[in-house]
């Protein structure tokens, strides 16, 4: 029996050399071994089917098999027969997943209609145009995981083109960036197959046109909360991250949108960022606090640069301090003053706080906030990271939290 020894080369990141040697040398003198460069694909192609299947089974990942499939039609047929299901799982080796590999497979080597599942999550070398071309070639794809593909998130328009190319799409998982509550975004969320993991909302550059009502987030809230007609979860159930970044100031009702989004058991958002609101009202912050009271999944909350006042901070304090999952809170560059910072710190003294990171730089905090923080730490608050930079804290006040 022959022993199969497999060697890697640097070509295409895959396997292209197969060295077959006898277990025992023949009694006669063997001819000189051919140099490695002389091996050709016929070495694999001439193997018996069972031996070739054994070789393919030893490959480290499905991407390695796909690299082999690109070599010739006969090897592609062998790889196709070895698959347990009709799936391209490029996410297992994202550094090998390139546009060339994807397009060679979907447009050339693999039969049209063969692929039912395409997983390209984390494949940052792929471009979204190549994924769209692959979808147009393999219109039978039913499940597509396209999170963190290429540079930046998908736009609604790009995802809608992928959807239009697929005849039987059942699940599309992706991240998305949009200029406010645009019409393409609302159409995207209305599709029952869409499962957004991350939603980033931008505002247009100064002077750029924004379509009517795109800065009004009421329609977006309704779209995220609306369940599909055929049953199933609302789009908000799949969201894990929402980022309004610096766009909050350019979108009407940003705080109301965040409060409505977090309310309800179906919301599974774990990370939320909102900044740039010129004046966050106490009423809006109270609504956010009420939403947090019923929320069980949010882990990171960033509300920097929203002109949150001391009264607004007090409206949030109790809900933030008692949240069962919240680990990180950032309120930098908000004028909450010493009284607001002290109220938040005092709330941490209560039971149930899970906050391990609190960021309050440039908020007007003084020694009173430091004393309240020291009391919270002495009472068992689990804070491990505290940022009070840029505040009016004296040497005596600054020594209080470390001493606790």
């Amino acid at each position: 029996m022959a022993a199969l020894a497999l060697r890697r080369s640097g070509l295409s990141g895959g396997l292209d050399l197969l060295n077959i040697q006898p277990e025992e040398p023949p009694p006669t003198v063997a001819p000189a071994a051919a140099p490695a460069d002389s091996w050709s694909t016929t070495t694999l192609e001439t193997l018996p089917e069972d031996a070739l299947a054994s070789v393919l089974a030893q490959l480290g990942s499905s991407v390695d098999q796909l690299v082999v499939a690109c070599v010739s039609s006969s090897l592609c047929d062998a790889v196709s027969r070895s698959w347990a299901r009709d799936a391209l799982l490029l996410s297992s080796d994202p550094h090998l997943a390139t546009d060339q590999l994807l397009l060679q497979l979907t447009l050339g080597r693999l039969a049209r209609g063969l692929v039912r599942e395409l997983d390209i999550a984390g494949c940052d070398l792929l471009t979204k145009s190549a994924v769209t071309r692959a979808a147009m070639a393999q219109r039978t794809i039913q499940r597509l995981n396209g999170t963190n593909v290429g540079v930046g998130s998908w736009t609604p328009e790009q995802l809608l083109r992928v959807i239009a190319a697929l005849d039987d799409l059942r699940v599309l998982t992706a991240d998305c960036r949009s200029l406010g509550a645009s019409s393409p975004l609302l159409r995207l969320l209305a599709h029952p197959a869409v499962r957004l993991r991350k939603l980033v909302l931008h505002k247009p550059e100064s002077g750029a046109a924004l379509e009517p009502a795109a800065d009004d987030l009421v329609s977006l809230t309704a779209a995220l909360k609306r369940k599909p007609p055929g049953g199933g979860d609302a789009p908000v159930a799949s969201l894990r991250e929402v980022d309004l970044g610096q766009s909050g100031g350019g979108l009407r009702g940003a705080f109301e949108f965040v409060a409505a989004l977090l309310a309800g058991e179906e919301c599974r958002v774990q990370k939320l960022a909102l900044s740039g609101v010129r004046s966050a009202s106490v009423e809006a912050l109270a609504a956010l606090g009420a939403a947090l009271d019923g929320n069980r999944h949010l882990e990171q909350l960033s509300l920097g640069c929203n002109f949150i006042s001391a009264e607004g901070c007090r409206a949030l304090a109790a809900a933030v301090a008692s949240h069962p999952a919240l680990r990180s809170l950032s309120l930098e560059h908000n004028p909450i003053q010493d009284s607001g910072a002290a109220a938040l710190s005092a709330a941490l003294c209560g039971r149930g706080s899970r906050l391990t990171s609190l960021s309050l730089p440039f908020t007007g905090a003084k020694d009173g906030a430091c004393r309240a923080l020291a009391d919270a730490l002495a009472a068992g608050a689990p804070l491990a990271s505290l940022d009070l930079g840029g505040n009016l804290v004296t040497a005596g006040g600054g020594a209080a939290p470390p001493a606790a």
Side-chain angles (χ1 to χ4, degrees):
M1 177 178 289
L4 302 181
L6 212 56
R7 293 189 295 160
R8 270 189 185 273
S9 79
L11 298 177
S12 302
L15 300 171
D16 67 333
L17 297 178
L18 182 67
N19 185 12
I20 303 178
Q21 299 174 345
E23 290 181 346
E24 297 180 0
T28 58
V29 178
D37 290 343
S38 69
W39 290 97
S40 69
T41 58
T42 57
T43 308
L44 281 172
E45 292 172 329
T46 56
L47 284 175
E49 186 172 337
D50 58 342
L52 181 55
S54 297
V55 173
L56 294 175
Q58 297 302 314
L59 298 185
S61 72
S62 60
V63 177
D64 280 328
Q65 293 191 19
L66 297 175
V67 171
V68 171
C70 287
V71 175
S72 69
S73 298
S74 60
L75 290 179
C76 182
D77 291 340
V79 170
S80 299
R81 288 193 298 270
S82 72
W83 285 357
R85 53 179 178 165
D86 301 327
L88 285 180
L89 307 180
L90 302 186
S91 60
S92 60
D93 277 309
H95 62 287
L96 297 180
T98 63
D99 285 1
Q100 180 181 5
L101 174 63
L102 178 64
L103 295 178
Q104 274 186 316
L105 290 167
T106 56
L107 275 67
R109 295 299 182 190
L110 299 180
R112 301 295 175 98
L114 175 65
V115 180
R116 296 291 189 274
E117 179 179 356
L118 177 60
D119 189 346
I120 50 176
C123 295
D124 54 2
L125 298 180
L126 290 177
T127 63
K128 295 173 177 62
S129 61
V131 176
T132 305
R133 289 181 63 191
M136 295 174 69
Q138 297 287 335
R139 303 181 68 90
T140 54
I141 293 174
Q142 297 176 349
R143 304 179 67 87
L144 196 164
N145 187 349
T147 54
N148 301 319
V149 170
V151 179
S153 297
W154 296 82
T155 65
E157 293 83 355
Q158 289 171 330
L159 289 173
L160 287 171
R161 283 195 287 271
V162 172
I163 291 173
L166 301 176
D167 297 327
D168 193 23
L169 183 63
R170 300 179 184 179
V171 177
L172 170 62
T173 306
D175 48 306
C176 182
R177 56 186 169 91
S178 172
L179 290 178
S182 64
S183 295
L185 176 59
L186 298 180
R187 291 201 306 273
L188 178 68
L189 291 173
H191 195 286
V194 172
R195 307 286 188 272
L196 293 186
R197 285 290 185 263
K198 178 180 179 180
L199 178 60
V200 182
L201 296 178
H202 294 293
K203 64 177 180 180
E205 298 294 333
S206 179
L210 184 66
E211 62 181 89
D215 63 337
D216 187 348
L217 299 178
V218 174
S219 56
L220 179 56
T221 304
L224 286 167
K225 294 281 187 174
R226 186 181 301 116
K227 293 188 176 183
D233 294 330
V236 69
S238 63
L239 270 178
R240 296 297 178 266
E241 182 177 352
V242 177
D243 185 1
L244 276 76
Q246 297 295 323
S247 67
L251 299 171
R252 286 181 289 166
F255 267 95
E256 290 79 1
F257 165 72
V258 167
L261 181 72
L262 294 176
E265 296 182 358
E266 72 274 21
C267 180
R268 299 291 187 271
V269 173
Q270 298 171 346
K271 184 177 180 180
L272 191 147
L274 168 60
S275 63
V277 176
R278 295 183 179 179
S279 181
S281 68
V282 175
E283 293 77 14
L285 289 163
L288 177 57
L292 289 172
D293 277 335
N295 181 275
R296 296 293 179 268
H297 301 281
L298 189 65
E299 297 178 1
Q300 299 179 47
L301 179 60
S302 179
L303 297 174
C305 303
N306 288 313
F307 285 87
I308 297 175
S309 65
E311 188 178 359
C313 185
R314 285 193 289 270
L316 271 179
V320 164
S322 62
H323 195 283
L326 193 64
R327 301 290 188 272
S328 175
L329 175 65
S330 181
L331 292 172
E332 73 276 7
H333 292 277
N334 282 301
I336 64 175
Q337 302 302 317
D338 194 47
S339 60
L344 178 60
S345 304
L348 297 178
C349 293
R351 296 180 179 180
S353 176
R354 297 292 186 271
L355 272 184
T356 59
S357 176
L358 180 60
S359 181
L360 300 174
F362 299 96
T363 55
K366 298 180 182 178
D367 290 354
C370 291
R371 288 191 293 271
L373 282 167
D375 292 340
L377 291 170
L383 280 178
S385 174
L386 175 63
D387 187 353
L388 288 171
N391 288 305
L392 303 176
V393 177
T394 67

